[in-house]
Amino acid sequence: MSKVVVGIDLGGTNIKTALVSTEKKVLSKNSRPSNADKGPDAVMDAMAEAVEDLMKETGTARADVLACGIGAPGPMNWQTGVVYSPPNLPGWENVPLAQLMYQRLSIPCFVDNDANVACYGEYWLGAGQGTQSMAVFTLGTGVGGGIVVFGELLRGIDGTAAELGHLKVQRDGRRCGCGGLGCLEAYASVTGMVRTAQEHLDENPDSLLYKQFHDQPDNITGKDLTDAANKGDAFACWVHEETATWLGLGIASLINLQNPERIVLCGGMIAAGDLLFDPVRRVARENAFPVPAKRCEIVPAGLGSDSGVIGAAGCAWTRLESGEDGGADPNSAY
Ligand SMILES: [Zn+2]
């Protein structure tokens, strides 16, 4: 029996789990509700159960599971595996997640930031394969980021690096979820895109969106905007162009900073396809220096919505190989 690593993508709504062989094949995966409202113990029990189920289903012995990686929402200390107080996990307060999962599973457990593991997944098995230097933007309710330089995640001295959603793109701009003003996330997330549509809806009474939503602009979703743009609605196309412009400006700054080979866009928003990618590529090219702009490809995720769960497994494996104990020492969290 070949050895395997487990990846877990811990979100506020769902827990995704995958078993990945050391030959980098995804052997099996599953998804279940995280029941986040029941607090940390219930969530950790559900994660442990999901791992046990995968092992049973694939006939994998515990001794063949080398490590378990968990991509969790920050803020956290990735080295000690302590998760501080993520906004979408109610009741979590300095939870020593790596240690507590080690106690449940008797398998070395490694915790990393969810956007970083998504980046590592794309680097390891997705659209970033074969590069040495790449970055990921996850475009959903917020904007997450991860950077790989010379084959390793860029973590920063406190482990907080690569918060690409909080690049400042506008002085005194929109209020961001982080409390700051003018962050990329406030413009280039799905939430930011919807807000752009809401702010300009009344100026566009001829648009499909106005007809559909002028009484209830709060109901507009990212999918509504993309659907309307695909039907040729000029206002919806403009909203995509505007959103892509903000994102392209953020990407141009990253290209000048990092000189990456590839930038991978993940998350729900990439369903917009060329409506998003064409203007993003154009704006990034126009605003970055020519040499790194020419070098850098901007591409969609290769692993769909599995970047995080596969990357969590990849991160755990890498950290195990570098000699970390994965929560085996109960004192290491404190
Ligand atoms: Zn921010």
Side-chain angles (χ1 to χ4, degrees):
M1 175 78 198
S2 79
K3 303 286 182 186
V4 300
V5 278
V6 175
I8 301 177
D9 182 0
L10 168 59
T13 312
N14 286 306
I15 293 166
K16 288 194 201 174
T17 322
L19 210 61
V20 184
S21 74
T22 50
E23 291 81 36
K24 301 187 180 179
K25 290 270 177 298
V26 179
L27 303 176
S28 184
K29 54 186 185 177
N30 66 34
S31 177
R32 65 185 65 204
S34 36
N35 296 325
D37 53 327
K38 294 186 181 144
D41 279 313
V43 174
M44 286 185 283
D45 288 345
M47 285 196 283
E49 203 180 279
V51 175
E52 301 285 354
D53 285 354
L54 275 186
M55 285 162 52
K56 253 182 240 147
E57 183 194 312
T58 55
T60 305
R62 193 170 310 270
D64 289 325
V65 184
L66 295 176
C68 171
I70 304 160
M76 67 174 61
N77 182 326
W78 69 279
Q79 284 169 302
T80 59
V82 176
V83 173
Y84 299 141
S85 51
N88 58 354
L89 293 175
W92 288 55
E93 194 73 54
N94 299 331
V95 174
L97 181 57
Q99 279 74 17
L100 294 173
M101 287 304 291
Y102 180 92
Q103 286 163 21
R104 282 171 170 78
L105 291 169
S106 306
I107 296 166
C109 291
F110 300 91
V111 178
D112 270 291
N113 169 289
D114 49 10
N116 277 350
V117 297
C119 178
Y120 200 78
E122 288 295 327
Y123 164 74
W124 198 46
L125 289 182
Q129 270 187 96
T131 66
Q132 283 294 299
S133 179
M134 52 87 68
V136 159
F137 285 82
T138 60
L139 307 169
T141 314
V143 174
I147 296 177
V148 165
V149 185
F150 299 121
E152 283 190 30
L153 280 171
L154 178 76
R155 298 195 182 264
I157 196 72
D158 293 307
T160 68
E163 286 289 356
L164 300 177
H166 307 280
L167 290 171
K168 303 294 174 186
V169 291
Q170 176 75 301
R171 179 181 180 178
D172 298 331
R174 285 181 186 167
R175 179 75 64 188
C176 175
C178 74
L181 292 175
C183 296
L184 180 62
E185 174 171 303
Y187 300 89
S189 59
V190 176
T191 320
M193 180 161 89
V194 167
R195 182 166 165 192
T196 300
Q198 288 163 340
E199 284 179 358
H200 295 274
L201 195 62
D202 288 343
E203 300 154 23
N204 292 277
D206 297 332
S207 72
L208 287 173
L209 291 165
Y210 183 88
K211 291 185 184 84
Q212 227 180 325
F213 292 108
H214 71 280
D215 286 339
Q216 53 207 338
D218 289 348
N219 291 353
I220 300 176
T221 66
K223 186 174 180 301
D224 294 326
L225 295 173
T226 301
D227 287 349
N230 282 329
K231 287 178 191 152
D233 184 65
F235 172 55
C237 290
W238 174 84
V239 171
H240 282 76
E241 181 89 18
E242 184 72 5
T243 305
T245 300
W246 290 109
L247 183 57
L249 289 173
I251 288 177
S253 294
L254 182 65
I255 288 175
N256 283 346
L257 176 110
Q258 189 195 347
N259 185 198
E261 295 161 82
R262 225 168 280 162
I263 288 176
V264 179
L265 306 186
C266 303
M269 203 198 282
I270 68 169
D274 291 344
L275 279 170
L276 183 74
F277 278 86
D278 286 348
V280 163
R281 289 179 181 126
R282 190 188 67 242
V283 172
R285 194 175 57 241
E286 286 169 357
N287 288 279
F289 285 124
V291 170
K294 188 159 182 276
R295 161 75 60 187
C296 183
E297 297 172 284
I298 300 170
V299 299
L303 300 175
S305 58
D306 290 337
S307 324
V309 68
I310 291 172
C315 275
W317 191 21
T318 307
R319 291 178 61 181
L320 182 78
E321 295 213 311
S322 76
E324 292 184 53
D325 77 346
D329 174 1
N331 297 316
S332 65
Y334 305 100

